[in-house]
Amino acid sequence: MKSLKYAILGLLCRHPMTGYEIAKEFNFELAEFWYANHSQIYPELKQLNEEGLVNYDIEISGEILESKRYTITEKGHSDFIKWLHKDEKIQKTPKDVFRLRMYFSGNLDMETRIHLLENQRMQHYKRLNSLKKTFEQYPEVPPRNSDRFGDFIVLRGAIMRQENIIAWIDECIGYSKEDAGE
Amino acid sequence: MKSLKYAILGLLCRHPMTGYEIAKEFNFELAEFWYANHSQIYPELKQLNEEGLVNYDIEISGEILESKRYTITEKGHSDFIKWLHKDEKIQKTPKDVFRLRMYFSGNLDMETRIHLLENQRMQHYKRLNSLKKTFEQYPEVPPRNSDRFGDFIVLRGAIMRQENIIAWIDECIGYSKEDAGE
DNA sequence: AATAAACATGTATACATTGACATGTTCTCT
DNA sequence: AGAGAACATGTCAATGTATACATGTTTATT
């Protein structure tokens, strides 16, 4: 696996970053498909440094506050590129607690079932809108070789995924309401 | 979270099962949204038994081969129903290694990028077809209160998800090929 | 001047998950 | 009669992840 390793190396390919900045990326922009807390990132950076895949320079803010700005090494870069080229089996479909609930929804009365579905729908809808807002930053498809192209297609994928979940929930609500009067 | 606990209790709500049978479910039918190995299931069943949520009877096959058939207790049932009723925040969007790759695809030449996309597409397409095959078992929507209704909507969701991933990959291929001649 | 938010880095504990180790029985097919 | 698949249950070690613990500085706001 070791995907975190490559997620970090990939970011450092773009430009040098501190652990703090990487953690921020993993909790905002990238969060649509990857995330990690700083408690995972700092030890990982330490290890990558020991393996010679990254170096760092210490920067001082103000009087004494230190931060380590990590730079990818040549070895780190080639490791990353190698990983990026690998053909991959599609991953196991992700665990989904809500689908697990719906799988067992025969144990719920129709009212509760619809309530749960509509609650999820509402939340996914909000999320979709916030993604669409972000998407407005791209009035056109960015150049295919820029970093922004990667950002763009992944964001587009997140929107499509979100719309699809909502469509599924709508279908479920529809099925549940069908002949509900009988 | 302890979702595994409720996944198991939910199955046992339907009818008594052995650990082996539960493991099979988690690696076939349910695998579209949940899975676990037997190495996780057996200890979990042991604990559920200690908590008084399940009981078991020992069955003998042949001469000596023992299997434990687990039954849900009243406490187990009410615990499960309580969990099933809970409103939930939507879960974090799942990690996705392929999207991570595509996020960094600016580092790949166009040929490799399209190759990776088409490879994923092919695999997802196969998966979609096998889901559709399973779906043929449902010529109509099962009764809303049957267990099969849960199976049905979750399978429908899996198909929609799969179609959506393929649509996204097609978009990505389209964007990548656009003005590729320049 | 005080407070809160953001910057900055780390460790520790608990839990979840995977894959291997470990052992044996029963059934089905050839 | 033998082989292989399926049945059946468990443990262990390593890895991955989440949450909390721990400590402090700098910047922006009031």
Side-chain angles (χ1 to χ4, degrees):
Chain A
M1 289 275 146
K2 284 270 97 186
S3 300
L4 177 62
K5 168 178 168 177
Y6 297 105
I8 291 175
L9 290 179
L11 285 179
L12 294 180
C13 267
R14 296 189 164 185
H15 52 78
M17 292 175 88
T18 67
Y20 188 81
E21 286 165 352
I22 292 171
K24 256 203 313 192
E25 290 283 319
F26 279 150
N27 284 287
F28 294 93
E29 288 80 18
L30 276 74
E32 280 312 314
F33 57 90
W34 208 265
Y35 45 83
N37 296 322
H38 75 275
S39 57
Q40 224 184 328
I41 292 162
Y42 288 120
E44 187 69 35
L45 282 168
K46 195 177 165 187
Q47 209 197 302
L48 292 176
N49 180 247
E50 280 160 14
E51 291 172 23
L53 306 177
V54 300
N55 292 323
Y56 64 86
D57 295 301
I58 291 178
E59 289 178 357
I60 308 280
S61 317
E63 294 293 300
I64 52 163
L65 186 62
E66 293 190 352
S67 67
K68 297 179 180 169
R69 188 160 300 272
Y70 286 87
T71 311
I72 194 163
T73 63
E74 253 182 67
K75 188 170 177 329
H77 185 78
S78 71
D79 254 39
F80 171 72
I81 294 296
K82 217 167 114 191
W83 170 80
L84 198 57
H85 274 79
K86 254 193 293 196
D87 263 332
E88 230 186 12
K89 271 212 286 186
I90 55 173
Q91 66 183 18
K92 248 186 287 192
T93 149
K95 290 188 179 179
D96 188 322
V97 184
F98 186 67
R99 285 174 203 243
L100 181 66
R101 266 171 217 274
M102 284 304 109
Y103 184 74
F104 292 127
S105 63
N107 296 285
L108 289 171
D109 58 280
M110 216 46 65
E111 206 187 329
T112 309
R113 206 185 292 192
I114 290 169
H115 170 78
L116 290 178
L117 282 161
E118 282 176 347
N119 177 41
Q120 289 278 312
R121 192 193 191 284
M122 186 260 299
Q123 291 184 67
H124 281 293
Y125 193 75
K126 273 189 194 165
R127 190 152 182 50
L128 173 62
N129 277 333
S130 103
L131 288 171
K132 278 182 174 169
K133 200 122 212 166
T134 312
F135 194 70
E136 285 169 16
Q137 291 167 20
Y138 299 87
E140 59 198 28
V141 184
R144 293 169 301 143
N145 275 309
S146 65
D147 290 339
R148 294 187 77 235
F149 183 76
D151 303 6
F152 172 82
I153 57 174
V154 160
L155 180 57
R156 185 71 193 109
I159 289 173
M160 290 172 77
R161 178 167 56 185
Q162 212 61 24
E163 285 172 338
N164 189 251
I165 292 171
I166 291 170
W168 174 65
I169 292 176
D170 282 340
E171 252 200 53
C172 291
I173 293 174
Y175 289 135
S176 299
K177 281 186 173 165
E178 233 162 65
D179 52 57
E182 288 177 44
Chain B
M1 283 288 140
K2 286 269 98 191
S3 300
L4 176 62
K5 167 177 167 176
Y6 297 105
I8 290 174
L9 290 178
L11 284 179
L12 294 180
C13 268
R14 297 189 164 183
H15 52 80
M17 290 174 91
T18 67
Y20 188 81
E21 287 166 352
I22 292 171
K24 257 202 314 191
E25 291 283 320
F26 279 150
N27 284 287
F28 293 93
E29 287 80 19
L30 275 74
E32 279 313 315
F33 56 92
W34 208 265
Y35 45 83
N37 297 322
H38 75 274
S39 57
Q40 223 184 330
I41 291 164
Y42 289 119
E44 187 69 35
L45 282 168
K46 194 178 166 187
Q47 210 197 302
L48 291 176
N49 179 248
E50 280 160 14
E51 291 171 24
L53 306 176
V54 299
N55 292 323
Y56 64 86
D57 295 300
I58 291 178
E59 290 178 357
I60 308 280
S61 318
E63 295 291 300
I64 53 165
L65 187 62
E66 293 190 352
S67 67
K68 298 178 181 171
R69 187 160 301 273
Y70 286 88
T71 311
I72 194 162
T73 64
E74 254 182 68
K75 189 171 177 326
H77 185 80
S78 72
D79 253 40
F80 171 72
I81 295 297
K82 217 168 112 190
W83 170 80
L84 198 56
H85 275 80
K86 254 191 292 195
D87 262 332
E88 230 186 10
K89 271 212 284 186
I90 54 173
Q91 66 183 18
K92 246 185 287 190
T93 149
K95 290 187 179 180
D96 188 321
V97 184
F98 185 69
R99 285 173 203 244
L100 181 65
R101 266 170 218 273
M102 283 305 109
Y103 184 73
F104 292 127
S105 62
N107 295 287
L108 289 171
D109 59 280
M110 215 46 64
E111 205 187 330
T112 309
R113 206 187 291 191
I114 290 170
H115 170 77
L116 291 177
L117 283 161
E118 282 177 347
N119 177 42
Q120 289 279 310
R121 192 194 190 283
M122 186 258 299
Q123 291 185 68
H124 280 292
Y125 193 76
K126 274 190 195 164
R127 190 152 181 51
L128 173 61
N129 277 333
S130 102
L131 288 170
K132 278 182 175 169
K133 200 123 211 164
T134 312
F135 195 69
E136 285 169 14
Q137 291 168 20
Y138 299 88
E140 58 199 25
V141 183
R144 292 170 300 143
N145 276 309
S146 65
D147 290 340
R148 295 188 76 233
F149 183 75
D151 303 7
F152 173 82
I153 57 174
V154 160
L155 179 58
R156 185 72 194 109
I159 289 173
M160 290 173 76
R161 179 166 56 183
Q162 212 61 23
E163 286 173 339
N164 189 252
I165 292 170
I166 291 170
W168 175 66
I169 292 176
D170 282 340
E171 253 200 51
C172 291
I173 293 174
Y175 289 137
S176 298
K177 282 186 172 164
E178 234 163 64
D179 51 58
E182 288 178 44

